[in-house]
Amino acid sequence: MILVTGGAGYIGSHTVLALLEAGHEVLVLDNFCNANKKSLERVGALTNREVHWVEGDIRDEALLDNLFSQNEIDSVIHFAGLKAVGESVQKPLAYFDNNVNGTLVLCEAMSRAGVKKIVFSSSATVYGDPASVPIREDFPTAATNPYGRSKLMVEEILRDLVVSDPAWRISVLRYFNPVGAHDSGMIGEDPNGIPNNLVPFVSQVAIGRREVLSVFGNDYDTSDGTGVRDYIHVTDLAKGHLMALDYLSRHDGLHTFNLGTGKGYSVLDVVQAFEKASGRKVAYEFHPRRPGDIARCYADPAHAEEVLGWVAEFDLEKMMADTWRWQQKNPEGYSTSES
Ligand code: NAD
Ligand code: WQD
C-alpha cells in the first residue's frame, strides 16, 4: 500500500487517480487545509474504487505511527505542504513548520516503521534565477523565498538521510508549472480566493469570475516581453510519480528528476491558447513585474526520459482545453458544485 500525503490536493488527487487505475492500494493522509473531500469522492467515482483516506496532519507523530502499524504501507508519495510563494514571505515559520518539520516527522515515523521509500514533491523554484535555460538537474540551486528554501532544505535533508542509511530509496521530483485537469472535468485545481498562479487566474477571467488579468511585466528579455514558463499537464505529472516510484523498487539511492515538457511559453502565449480553447476573450492589462519573478524557466527533461522513460505527452492546447472543461463544469470549484 502507498501512503499519499496531501493526496486530496491538486496534484495529489490526480496521482491517486492514476495509482488506483494502475491497480495500486492507496491510503491518503490530508488535513484538508487546502483541499476539499469532494476531490477524493470524485476520484472514487472515476475509478470505481473506494478511496481510503484519513484526515490528519503529517506533523502528528502518534497518528503516523498508528497508520504505519495498522496498514501494510511500503512506500510514501509526499505531496503535503504549503505552496504559496507570497504567503511564505509573510509566514515563513508556518512554511518551515509544515514543509520542513512536517517532512522530518514523516521521515522519522517511516524510519520507525521500516518504510524507506519516498517520492518527494520538489519544485523548479529550487533553481532560483537560472544562468541559462533549459535547466538540467545538475544546475546550481538557490532559494529566493521561504517556500523555495523549505523545498531546498528538504532536498538536502533527504540527501543526508540516504547517506546515513543506504536502505532509503528516494525520488526527488522537481515540477515546473503544473496546469490542466483530468479530462473528465471532474477533478482539477481549486485555489482559495484570488489565484496566485497564471492559469487558474486566466480561467477565472474567461468564466467571468474575475474581470481582467494583470500581466506582471512586459519588459522581460523574452519574445514578447512577458515571462516564459514550462507548463506541464497534471496528468503527465501524475504519471511521472508512478514511474519514479516504480524506479525505486529496482534502484536504491536518491534520484532527482525535472518534470517539465522542455518547452517555454510566455504569458501571452497562454492567454492566446486559453482564448482558443474556450472561445472566450481574456481581458488583460500590463502591470509592473511581480517581485521575485524571473524572465524564463523551462526544463531539460532528458534525464527523466533516459532514466525513467517518462515524457510529457500533452501540449499547451490540451492543458488549456482540460482546464476550461474543469472550470465550466465547476465554475466555483468544488465548494458549490453539486456532487
Ligand atoms: P495542494 O495545496 O493542492 O496540495 C497539498 C495538499 O496537502 C492539500 O490537500 C493540503 O490540504 C495538504 N496539506 C498541507 N499541509 C498538510 C499537513 N501539514 N498535513 C497534511 N496535509 C497537509 O498543492 P499541489 O499543487 O497539489 O502541490 C502538491 C505538492 O507539490 C506541494 O508540496 C507543492 O509544494 C509541490 N509543488 C506544487 C507546484 C504547483 O505549482 N502546484 C509546483 C511545484 C511543487
Ligand atoms: C507564471 C507566469 C508570472 C499570475 C509558481 C511558484 C513555483 C511553482 C509554480 C510551487 C509568470 C505570470 C502570473 C498573474 C501573471 N510552485 N503571471 N499574472 O511564478 O512560474 O511559479 O508556481 O512550487 O514555485 O513560484 O507561476 O503561475 O505564478 O506565474 O502575469 O496573475 O505568469 O509573472 O511569468 P511561477 P505563476
Side-chain angles (χ1 to χ4, degrees):
M1 174 182 275
I2 303 164
L3 176 67
V4 182
T5 75
Y10 171 46
I11 305 168
S13 56
H14 289 80
T15 304
V16 169
L17 188 148
L19 288 166
L20 292 173
E21 277 179 342
H24 292 283
E25 293 297 319
V26 173
L27 176 63
V28 170
L29 171 64
D30 201 299
N31 67 2
F32 297 100
C33 71
N34 196 36
N36 189 303
K37 287 168 190 149
K38 278 188 189 159
S39 67
L40 295 177
E41 281 169 23
R42 291 183 182 185
V43 168
L46 287 165
T47 55
N48 220 356
R49 300 254 324 251
E50 194 186 339
V51 184
H52 302 284
W53 57 268
V54 171
E55 181 162 2
D57 199 292
I58 53 164
R59 293 163 296 180
D60 183 340
E61 262 181 49
L63 171 71
L64 289 175
D65 283 344
N66 259 327
L67 289 184
F68 283 110
S69 67
Q70 285 168 14
N71 299 280
E72 286 186 11
I73 297 166
D74 48 46
S75 50
V76 176
I77 304 183
H78 177 33
F79 293 104
L82 304 178
K83 65 164 179 177
V85 172
E87 186 187 58
S88 80
V89 177
Q90 307 304 320
K91 301 180 182 167
L93 300 181
Y95 274 68
F96 293 125
D97 188 26
N98 260 280
N99 297 3
V100 183
N101 179 40
T103 305
L104 283 181
V105 173
L106 174 66
C107 288
E108 278 162 1
M110 289 175 69
S111 205
R112 282 194 294 278
V115 177
K116 297 188 174 177
K117 223 189 287 169
I118 185 168
V119 177
F120 172 64
S121 300
S122 189
S123 166
T125 193
V126 301
Y127 296 113
D129 190 354
S132 63
V133 280
I135 304 170
R136 284 197 320 267
E137 288 83 352
D138 59 0
F139 274 29
T141 52
T144 53
N145 55 67
Y147 167 72
R149 216 166 341 270
S150 75
K151 291 290 172 190
L152 214 41
M153 284 177 181
V154 170
E155 285 201 8
E156 285 167 353
I157 289 167
L158 294 176
R159 245 169 253 130
D160 287 340
L161 191 56
V162 171
V163 172
S164 74
D165 177 358
W168 279 90
R169 294 173 176 223
I170 301 177
S171 283
V172 169
L173 303 182
R174 294 176 175 161
Y175 316 152
F176 280 68
N177 288 59
V179 299
H182 187 256
D183 63 10
S184 62
M186 296 294 284
I187 58 171
E189 187 171 12
D190 181 17
N192 265 332
I194 302 171
N196 298 308
N197 296 113
L198 177 65
V199 172
F201 201 106
V202 165
S203 180
Q204 291 191 9
V205 173
I207 201 89
R209 262 175 87 177
R210 319 240 160 236
E211 240 169 62
V212 56
L213 167 74
S214 301
V215 176
F216 300 137
N218 62 343
D219 56 351
Y220 286 110
D221 181 20
T222 58
S223 56
D224 60 21
T226 66
V228 166
R229 296 293 184 271
D230 185 339
Y231 297 94
I232 167 147
H233 198 294
V234 66
T235 300
D236 277 327
L237 209 54
K239 186 180 70 177
H241 289 74
L242 271 68
M243 297 175 95
L245 184 63
D246 182 53
Y247 185 76
L248 294 183
S249 61
R250 291 173 280 112
H251 300 269
D252 56 17
L254 181 143
H255 310 273
T256 303
F257 300 103
N258 283 341
L259 295 184
T261 64
K263 295 190 182 71
Y265 290 102
S266 73
V267 175
L268 296 183
D269 289 336
V270 168
V271 167
Q272 205 176 36
F274 206 93
E275 287 182 334
K276 191 164 167 238
S278 64
R280 302 270 179 105
K281 200 81 199 137
V282 175
Y284 66 85
E285 52 193 31
F286 291 120
H287 284 257
R289 295 179 180 191
R290 186 170 64 177
D293 271 359
I294 57 178
R296 63 180 78 71
C297 174
Y298 54 92
D300 179 342
H303 186 57
E305 178 166 8
E306 279 159 21
V307 176
L308 300 176
W310 176 88
V311 277
E313 269 176 61
F314 300 126
D315 60 11
L316 190 65
E317 199 176 321
K318 166 89 172 151
M319 298 181 216
M320 299 301 115
D322 288 344
T323 303
W324 180 237
R325 189 174 306 109
W326 153 253
Q327 183 72 69
Q328 275 188 301
K329 286 194 169 187
N330 309 270
E332 306 284 332
Y334 288 113
S335 53
T336 50
S337 35
E338 276 172 17
S339 62

